[in-house]
Every structure is written in structure tokens, then in C-alpha cells.
Amino acid sequence: MGRSRNPDRPRGGVAAVVETVDGGLAELLPDRDRARAWTLLIDGAPQSYVDLDDPAYLSFEYQRRLGHVIDLVAPPGKPVRAVHLGGGAFTLARYVAATRPRATQQVVERDAALVQLVRRELPLDTGARIRVRAADAREGLAKVLDGWADLVVADVFSGARTPAHLTSTEFLDEVRRVLRPGGCYAANVADGPPLAHLRRQIATAAARFAEVALIADPAVLRGRRFGNAVLVAGGAPLPIAELTRRAASDPHPGRVEHGRALLDFTGGAAAVTDSAATASPAPPPSVFR
């Protein structure tokens, strides 16, 4: 494993950390404006942003939207049990720990070298009840007890693409098994025109959950650019009104679709099964410029 400090992007004497991990070249870039904040990139693709002094601060647009789901999955401050598929720099696990003290969390991250890098350079709060397992997301999920989780968050990318085996009805069957009655599933879904992958993912969730909603930039929903959408699903009614209010008040306002309008948006797309699953589309190079 190679590791170096990059002197070309310092922040007041603090240099970037560059290290080869299982998934490629990892970079931890210091934020010039926030004293202990860092952005994690893998092969040039932004993965996570962490402010060690303020773990409740969510910089990435899609992570703010996942944060809204976390805020509404239970009354404010109430501890929850959460499973995070995909670790990155543990941004959302840190957020849950900061906003819901005594929450119990499991993080499943396949890249063991990345886990070691993040633990060393961006250590977790010693009081946080966060267990990190280096494993494939679906294999790790299979080890979680039935009905254990209030929340399952999926934010898994390999080479900027979500692996195929995390896009199917069989995968969502495992998610449902792990969730308690009334629990919530939230996933980061990346797609661009013509949005075929996103439409299939909505149809897949609708095939397994009674309630489904989507939070996204209107430009992404119109197929004008590649971007992230947050898919939310559960067996109980979702807090649509509050999600809508929060998404609309974000620095980059988002739109919430649900019900008949969301099903119409799928355009008759079929649910995805393991036998037909494919990875999410690769983003165009211009996305990360």
C-alpha cells in the first residue's frame, strides 16, 4: 500500500493524504475554510465530506437529503439502530451519532484498506456506538438480525457505480428482513438521461415496499443532467410533507415525488431481479470536473 502527503493542496500547513486502497487511489483533501474538515475522493470521484469538529454538518447535497430521512425516522434525539451499507468516511454514521446520542450502528464497507485509512486519519468519536465490518454490503447485511434496524442506508459505489447485486428485489428482501416493522430504507441512486436505471430502481422498491418516495434535484428528474437521487421506502406511511419542506429549503432545493406521480414516472419499468441486475451507469467525466 502506497501512502504520501500531497504538498500541492495544503491548508495552513495541513497537506492532503494520498493512499492506495483496495478500490483505487484515495485522497483526503483538507477544506481551506473549516479547520478539521476533509473530503474523501476515490480515483477522483468525491465520496464523503467530514467535519470532525461538526459531524452534524453535511456538505454533499445527497447526504443532506439522507440526513433529512435520518432526522424523521424517529422523534428528535431518540436513539435508533442503523445499518449503513457503504462506509466511505463514515459521514452519515457520524451524523446519526451526533444527532441521536446512544444510537447503535453497524457500518459495512468492503474496502478494508479504506476503513483503516479513515480510522487512522479521521478517527471516530470513542463514545460513538459504531461497529465497522469490512465486508461486501449484501454479505454484511445477511449477518444482521431479523428486525434489528430502524433504518438501513445504502450508499455503495464501486468505481462510481452501484454494484448490480445491490439493485435487485432479492437484495431488498434482505433489507426488509433486517428492518423492524415501520422501519425505513434510504438509498443513494445515481443516474442520468434517460434515467432508465432510476426508473427501474423505483419499480424495484415499489415491488417490495408499500410506501416509496424520491428526493432529487428537479433537473435530474427532468433528465437534464447526471446526478444523485435519494430513494426512500418503508412499510408505513412516510413523512412526505416534512421531507418536502426540508428538501425545498436546502441550499440546492430538491423535489419530492411519491404516490401516483412517482409510479407514473417509472414509465412502466419492471422491477429488477438478481438474474437481470446490472450496475448503475458510469457518470460522464464532466461530473467530477
Side-chain angles (χ1 to χ4, degrees), residues 189-205:
V189 182
D191 199 9
L195 300 178
H197 174 71
L198 179 58
R199 298 179 203 277
R200 288 194 296 267
Q201 287 304 287
I202 296 167
T204 303

Side-chain angles (χ1 to χ4, degrees), residues 246-272:
R246 292 180 180 226
S249 63
D250 277 341
H252 299 283
R255 193 170 86 205
V256 176
E257 294 286 358
H258 70 289
R260 184 76 247 172
L262 184 59
L263 292 180
D264 289 344
F265 175 78
T266 67
V272 177

Side-chain angles (χ1 to χ4, degrees), residues 79-84 96 100-106 128-131 148-151:
V80 297
R81 290 178 173 179
V83 177
H84 302 267
V96 172
R100 297 184 178 279
R102 296 181 294 111
T104 304
Q105 302 183 75
Q106 299 185 44
R129 300 169 65 178
I130 301 173
R131 177 186 179 187
W148 183 85
D150 300 290
L151 174 69

Side-chain angles (χ1 to χ4, degrees), residues 62-70 92 153 155 186-188 230:
Y62 84 88
Q63 289 184 331
R64 287 180 61 88
R65 291 168 184 160
L66 286 168
H68 298 328
V69 177
I70 292 168
L92 291 171
V153 177
D155 186 14
N188 176 23
V230 170

Side-chain angles (χ1 to χ4, degrees), residues 268-285:
V272 177
T273 62
D274 275 346
S275 62
T278 58
S280 66

Side-chain angles (χ1 to χ4, degrees), residues 73-284:
V73 76
K78 180 181 179 180
V80 297
R81 290 178 173 179
V83 177
H84 302 267
L85 304 177
F90 313 145
T91 301
L92 291 171
R94 297 174 200 264
Y95 180 84
V96 172
T99 59
R100 297 184 178 279
R102 296 181 294 111
T104 304
Q105 302 183 75
Q106 299 185 44
V107 177
V108 184
E109 169 58 59
R110 182 172 186 171
D111 194 326
L114 177 61
V115 170
Q116 291 180 350
L117 169 65
V118 172
R119 279 189 176 280
R120 184 184 69 239
E121 300 290 339
L122 310 176
L124 289 165
D125 188 321
T126 55
R129 300 169 65 178
I130 301 173
R131 177 186 179 187
V132 182
R133 177 184 291 128
D136 170 79
R138 192 153 157 182
E139 292 175 0
L141 186 65
K143 296 180 180 179
V144 180
L145 296 175
D146 292 4
W148 183 85
D150 300 290
L151 174 69
V152 174
V153 177
D155 186 14
V156 184
F157 287 86
S158 176
R161 304 178 70 183
T162 300
H165 68 298
L166 305 180
T167 68
S168 67
T169 52
E170 290 89 342
F171 165 67
L172 290 186
D173 286 338
E174 274 296 287
V175 172
R176 287 182 61 198
R177 179 190 64 76
V178 165
L179 285 172
R180 66 163 178 79
C184 185
Y185 170 65
N188 176 23
V189 182
D191 199 9
L195 300 178
H197 174 71
L198 179 58
R199 298 179 203 277
R200 288 194 296 267
Q201 287 304 287
I202 296 167
T204 303
R208 289 297 184 266
F209 290 96
E211 299 288 333
V212 181
L214 190 75
I215 314 171
D217 186 312
V220 172
L221 290 177
R222 295 188 190 108
R224 293 182 178 175
R225 67 172 180 86
F226 193 98
N228 300 84
V230 170
L231 181 63
V232 188
L238 299 171
I240 298 299
E242 187 60 17
L243 280 175
T244 300
R245 186 190 71 77
R246 292 180 180 226
S249 63
D250 277 341
H252 299 283
R255 193 170 86 205
V256 176
E257 294 286 358
H258 70 289
R260 184 76 247 172
L262 184 59
L263 292 180
D264 289 344
F265 175 78
T266 67
V272 177
T273 62
D274 275 346
S275 62
T278 58
S280 66

